C-alpha cells in the first residue's frame, strides 16, 4: 500500500450519503450542525460556540495537511445538506490499519467498506466514551467487536477525564459483517 494514498481525493458514496474530503469551504456549511451541542456530549471536543468549532475544524485540516488524518464532510443526499463529519485517523499504512472516529454522525459502514475493499486494511478501530452507550450499541449492532476500556485515557476540552471504549473490525470478519448489513446479495 503506497503512502501517497493520503494525497489522493477520496470520495465515498452510495445512494444516501457522500463523504468528501474536508476543505475550508465546509466550515460555513457545517457550522449550523456543529452548534447542536448534544453532538459533542460524549466527545473529547467540547463545542459550545463558533470559536470552539473553528479550532476543531482547523485542527482537522492541519492533521490532513500533515497526513495524520483524513477528514471527510458528510453530505446527506436525502436532505441535500451537509450533516456532519468523520475521519480516518491514527493512520498507519505500514501496519495496514487506521481508526474511524471524530464522527458527529454514524457513517462507519461506508468507511469500513472502503477501508477493507479499497485500501486492503487488516484492521479498523473505533472508539467512544465509556459514557456514550448509544454509540457503543450502534457499533455492536453493525458487527464491531468490543475490545476493552482504556481507563482515564484522555482529558476532554472541558478538563474532565475520559474513559475510552475500543471496538474493531478485522479483515476476516468483514464478509459476514458486510452480509449482515447489506443482505445476502452483498458482493
Amino acid at each position: 500500500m503506497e503512502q501517497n494514498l493520503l494525497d489522493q481525493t477520496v470520495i465515498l458514496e452510495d445512494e444516501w450519503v457522500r463523504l468528501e474530503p474536508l476543505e475550508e469551504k465546509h466550515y460555513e456549511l457545517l457550522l449550523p450542525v456543529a452548534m447542536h451541542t448534544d453532538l459533542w456530549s460524549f466527545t473529547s471536543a467540547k463545542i459550545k460556540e463558533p470559536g470552539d468549532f473553528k479550532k476543531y475544524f482547523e485542527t482537522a485540516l492541519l492533521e490532513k495537511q500533515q497526513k495524520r488524518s483524513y477528514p471527510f464532510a458528510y453530505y446527506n443526499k436525502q436532505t441535500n445538506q451537509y450533516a456532519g463529519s468523520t475521519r480516518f485517523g491514527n493512520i498507519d499504512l505500514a501496519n495496514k490499519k487506521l481508526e474511524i472516529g471524530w464522527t458527529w454522525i454514524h457513517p462507519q459502514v461506508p468507511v469500513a467498506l472502503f477501508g477493507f475493499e479499497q485500501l486492503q486494511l487488516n484492521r479498523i478501530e473505533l472508539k467512544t466514551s465509556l459514557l456514550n452507550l448509544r454509540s457503543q450499541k450502534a457499533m455492536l449492532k453493525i458487527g464491531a467487536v468490543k475490545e476493552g476500556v482504556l481507563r482515564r485515557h484522555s482529558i476532554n476540552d472541558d478538563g474532565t477525564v475520559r474513559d475510552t471504549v475500543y471496538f474493531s473490525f478485522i479483515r476476516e470478519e468483514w464478509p459476514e459483517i458486510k452480509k449482515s448489513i447489506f443482505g445476502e446479495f452483498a458482493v
Side-chain angles (χ1 to χ4, degrees):
M1 186 176 317
E2 296 181 20
Q3 196 68 11
N4 69 2
L5 166 80
L6 299 176
D7 295 323
Q8 297 176 18
T9 299
V10 176
I11 297 174
L12 309 175
E13 190 167 13
D14 64 19
E15 60 192 89
W16 301 284
V17 171
R18 180 177 66 242
L19 298 177
E20 56 191 58
L22 190 71
E23 298 176 5
E24 191 63 46
K25 71 178 184 178
H26 293 113
Y27 175 77
E28 292 295 331
L29 297 166
L30 291 171
L31 181 60
V33 178
M35 291 298 94
H36 292 275
T37 56
D38 58 317
L39 288 173
W40 308 98
S41 296
F42 298 108
T43 67
S44 60
K46 300 302 177 195
I47 308 300
K48 295 180 179 152
E49 59 187 26
D52 298 332
F53 180 61
K54 184 69 171 170
K55 179 181 171 187
Y56 178 90
F57 188 87
E58 288 175 350
T59 298
L61 292 179
L62 178 62
E63 287 183 5
K64 179 182 177 186
Q65 180 184 9
Q66 295 171 341
K67 298 183 170 99
R68 293 176 38 214
S69 72
Y70 198 105
F72 295 93
Y74 182 103
Y75 183 77
N76 183 327
K77 292 180 173 184
Q78 308 310 300
T79 63
N80 294 318
Q81 295 178 323
Y82 286 91
S85 180
T86 191
R87 292 186 216 176
F88 290 151
N90 297 322
I91 299 169
D92 183 356
L93 295 179
N95 286 301
K96 293 189 171 193
K97 67 178 185 171
L98 56 75
E99 183 179 326
I100 298 170
W102 304 266
T103 304
W104 321 344
I105 44 148
H106 199 248
Q108 278 87 347
V109 173
V111 177
L113 185 74
F114 179 78
F116 288 121
E117 297 184 8
Q118 300 296 317
L119 298 180
Q120 298 295 306
L121 297 175
N122 291 324
R123 173 183 172 82
I124 295 177
E125 301 169 352
L126 303 102
K127 67 182 177 190
T128 190
S129 167
L130 182 64
L131 301 175
N132 193 346
L133 300 178
R134 187 172 71 182
S135 284
Q136 290 179 55
K137 286 179 185 176
M139 290 175 191
L140 290 169
K141 185 175 180 179
I142 62 173
V145 174
K146 182 177 178 179
E147 294 186 328
V149 177
L150 295 180
R151 300 176 305 153
R152 302 184 67 76
H153 177 244
S154 59
I155 299 174
N156 297 323
D157 287 351
D158 65 1
T160 58
V161 177
R162 169 179 153 150
D163 294 334
T164 301
V165 183
Y166 269 84
F167 294 80
S168 72
F169 301 109
I170 60 173
R171 169 172 295 292
E172 293 79 6
E173 297 162 347
W174 178 242
E176 198 59 38
I177 292 168
K178 181 180 175 184
K179 185 176 173 184
S180 75
I181 294 167
F182 296 110
E184 64 183 87
F185 301 105
V187 273

